[in-house]
């Protein structure tokens, strides 16, 4: 079912509103951390600032919404860009896979600190590797989309999508042939390999890490309660 003019208009405008709120809120978080010397040196706040920078990229990319999509694209309100601007937006939106990865790093931080009793000094040595892995993965997956021509019109913005819209990807074709001129298998394979798959891995890891952290805190609470009960019983 095709969308009406007003529907496409508001689909393009709505992300600009939410992105504006996100942008200024995230700027405040970064400013609040960087102005404090104690926070700047803390592993938790390192990960928080890195996550906030990723959120800024998301806010900027989604605020642009349909503008970078090639001008004249049918059914897209105010598409004003070129294939180059579309690819640039897609590249930066793919970089935002680092945001859930940094969310996962915060779960890892609590798991190591609370459950396994890591010191801040040990966590500082670990965070260098965490930053390296996350940035390498984000930049690597984003760069991979360029030679694979993955970044095309995805209706609300440019991201991983096959072109032209509605073309048959080779992975979905019985004969293995494609009618796509760009981004073959973008939706059937690459979105899952480069974004949704890693996203679900992080969600499952964070859930498990938080469950283990909660169990550890619960056990410590029981131990503290036992100590207090014994101390009162001896009085």
């Amino acid at each position: 079912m095709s969308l009406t003019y007003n529907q496409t208009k508001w689909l393009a405008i709505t992300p600009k509103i939410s992105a504006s709120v996100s942008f200024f809120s995230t700027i405040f978080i970064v400013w609040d951390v960087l102005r404090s010397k104690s926070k700047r040196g803390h592993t938790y706040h390192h990960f928080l600032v890195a996550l906030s920078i990723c959120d800024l990229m998301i806010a900027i990319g989604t605020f642009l919404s349909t503008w970078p999509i090639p001008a004249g694209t049918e059914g897209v309100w105010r598409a004003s860009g070129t294939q180059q601007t579309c690819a640039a937006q897609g590249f930066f939106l793919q970089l935002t896979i680092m945001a859930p990865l940094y969310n996962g790093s915060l779960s890892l931080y609590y798991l190591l600190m609370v459950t396994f009793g890591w010191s801040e000094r040990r966590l500082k040595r670990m965070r260098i590797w965490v930053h390296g892995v996350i940035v390498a993965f984000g930049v690597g997956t984003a760069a991979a989309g360029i030679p694979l021509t993955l970044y095309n019109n995805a209706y609300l913005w440019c991201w991983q999508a096959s072109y032209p819209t509605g073309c048959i990807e080779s992975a979905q074709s019985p004969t293995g042939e494609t009618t796509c001129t760009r981004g073959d298998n973008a939706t059937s394979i690459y979105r899952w390999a480069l974004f949704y798959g890693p996203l679900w891995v992080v969600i499952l890891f964070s859930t498990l890490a938080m469950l283990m952290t909660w169990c550890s805190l619960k056990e410590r609470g029981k131990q503290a309660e036992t100590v207090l009960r014994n101390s009162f019983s001896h009085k």
Side-chain angles (χ1 to χ4, degrees):
M1 182 179 68
S2 59
L3 299 176
T4 66
Y5 173 81
N6 282 333
Q7 286 174 327
T8 59
K9 176 181 177 180
W10 284 106
L11 280 174
I13 291 175
T14 302
K16 299 181 187 298
I17 300 171
S18 58
S20 298
V21 175
S22 175
F23 179 86
F24 290 108
S25 301
T26 305
I27 285 290
F28 174 78
I29 293 173
V30 174
W31 172 78
D32 183 62
V33 173
L34 295 183
R35 70 182 180 133
S36 171
K37 185 177 181 180
S38 61
K39 290 181 179 180
R40 289 199 304 269
H42 200 275
T43 298
Y44 169 82
H45 291 101
H46 258 244
F47 290 152
L48 183 62
V49 168
L51 172 60
S52 297
I53 292 172
C54 295
D55 287 341
L56 284 175
M57 289 192 292
I58 296 174
I60 294 171
T62 53
F63 179 85
L64 294 173
S65 65
T66 57
W67 289 343
I69 296 175
T73 300
E74 186 178 355
V76 178
W77 187 76
R78 294 292 173 88
S80 309
T82 63
Q83 185 54 53
Q84 287 71 32
T85 60
C86 189
Q89 184 187 36
F91 178 88
F92 282 103
L93 286 179
Q94 176 57 34
L95 278 177
T96 62
I97 185 60
M98 294 190 294
L101 294 179
Y102 273 116
N103 268 304
S105 72
L106 290 173
S107 299
L108 176 63
Y109 167 82
Y110 283 117
L111 177 67
L112 295 176
M113 183 184 69
V114 176
T115 305
F116 296 103
W118 280 35
S119 65
E120 178 62 24
R121 184 176 181 181
R122 193 177 182 186
L123 288 166
K124 284 182 178 180
R125 292 199 298 267
M126 176 271 296
R127 77 187 183 198
I128 298 174
W129 295 98
V130 173
H131 283 308
V133 169
I134 292 177
V135 172
F137 184 83
V139 173
T141 57
I146 297 176
L148 292 170
T149 65
L150 296 180
Y151 303 132
N152 303 293
N153 169 33
Y155 298 107
L156 295 181
W157 40 65
C158 290
W159 189 49
Q160 297 181 39
S162 53
Y163 180 85
T165 302
C167 66
I168 300 175
E169 299 178 355
S170 59
Q172 300 170 331
S173 172
T175 62
E177 297 180 353
T178 180
T179 60
C180 303
T181 58
R182 291 178 54 85
D184 182 33
N185 294 324
T187 57
S188 56
I189 294 178
Y190 292 114
R191 282 190 182 184
W192 282 98
L194 303 180
F195 197 93
Y196 295 138
L199 174 62
W200 275 106
V201 169
V202 172
I203 291 173
L204 292 174
F205 168 78
S206 297
T207 302
L208 178 61
M210 290 295 95
L211 179 62
M212 292 176 65
T213 303
W214 175 79
C215 289
S216 178
L217 289 172
K218 184 178 180 181
E219 182 62 29
R220 290 185 186 184
K222 288 182 178 179
Q223 292 174 358
E225 185 178 341
T226 301
V227 171
L228 287 173
R229 188 183 302 115
N230 291 337
S231 64
F232 280 116
S233 65
H234 286 90
K235 289 183 178 180

